Amino acid sequence: MRILSRGPTTGVFGAVAVAFSLLLAGCTMAPDHYPRKGDVKPHPGVARAKTLPIHGIDVSRWQGEVDWNSVRDAGTKFAFIKATEGGDHLDPAFNRNWAGAKAAGVPVGAYHFVYWCRPAAEQAKWFVQHIPTDPDALPPVLDVEWNGHSQTCPKKVPRDVALEKIKIMLAELERHTGKRPIIYTDITFHEEVLRGELNEYPFWIRSVAAEPHERYSDRQYALWQWTTTGRVPGIRGDVDRNAFHGSEKQWMAFLDSTQRPGAAPARRIAPDMAPPSGAPPGLMPPAAVAEVEATASVRSYLPF
């Protein structure tokens, strides 16, 4: 674009205006807490995830050999590791990843991928048979989603059957670990099965093209998987990146109350407090968070 000059005075004021605009842009630009990490295919709809202070990853055999010290040094605050699937599959990298993350000091938890063609009791038994009863571990995760790409079980089961299976496995995981499990799910499965259900459990939800409140109706959540094409030092290739939905203080309370038996109840965001003007529902900045004691119906490690 060609700009016509109107003399030195206009030029000075123009330069000042440009400088002021850049200053304002810098003030309003939210920080990226993890500049050493990246995303091969960043989506503008989830850019705000980078401003959340607590980030972690989830891994399985597909990430290959992981340098957990480098993962830790990049600021990773937690890692969920695939342990089992169905009633007879153990992820071949589980024990190596678990030991490596623990040795590096990365808070770690295990997850089970549900196979809908296997009885729930058998799956729960298989999972607890392979995960350590570690008092310092994060709560176990039950990964529930349809798997249309499966060669042996691509079908969907009726909603009531899916819910029954889920409840059986959740109860067994809690009995085994002493910690209420986290439910991981995606948009489709949540809409078809979980909407309005199991509100007493913490949720970890996948939303890689929009913020969670745009995809999940009235769902409080603890963790947000915001990309599957992340890059993290210590891992070759893509890795899922996740963010904790809360402040650093809430994260520390979450860790403290999950890791120490009999710990005092953590605190949570008051469910009836409206977000500040312009903020997405349920995504309140730390300064606007109202903390109240968790009730008996909400377990101590629920951050919300």
Side-chain angles (χ1 to χ4, degrees), residues 147-192:
N147 187 8
H149 300 292
S150 172
Q151 294 182 350
T152 56
C153 185
K155 69 177 184 179
K156 296 181 179 182
V157 299
R159 182 174 185 267
D160 59 336
V161 174
L163 284 171
E164 181 183 10
K165 285 176 176 283
I166 291 169
K167 290 175 182 177
I168 290 171
M169 287 183 274
L170 290 172
E172 182 59 22
L173 296 188
E174 183 169 1
R175 186 201 64 76
H176 177 71
T177 64
K179 300 173 183 180
R180 177 150 291 192
I182 296 169
I183 299 172
Y184 169 89
T185 195
D186 62 13
I187 295 168
T188 301
F189 192 89
H190 182 269
E191 184 64 26
E192 295 182 2

Side-chain angles (χ1 to χ4, degrees), residues 201-231:
Y201 289 90
F203 270 70
W204 171 14
I205 56 180
R206 180 181 188 272
S207 185
V208 298
E211 295 196 18
H213 71 278
E214 299 177 53
R215 297 290 187 263
Y216 294 81
S217 302
D218 303 320
R219 171 58 68 190
Q220 295 291 328
Y221 60 95
L223 297 162
W224 171 18
Q225 185 184 86
W226 57 274
T227 183
T228 60
T229 56
R231 291 298 166 92

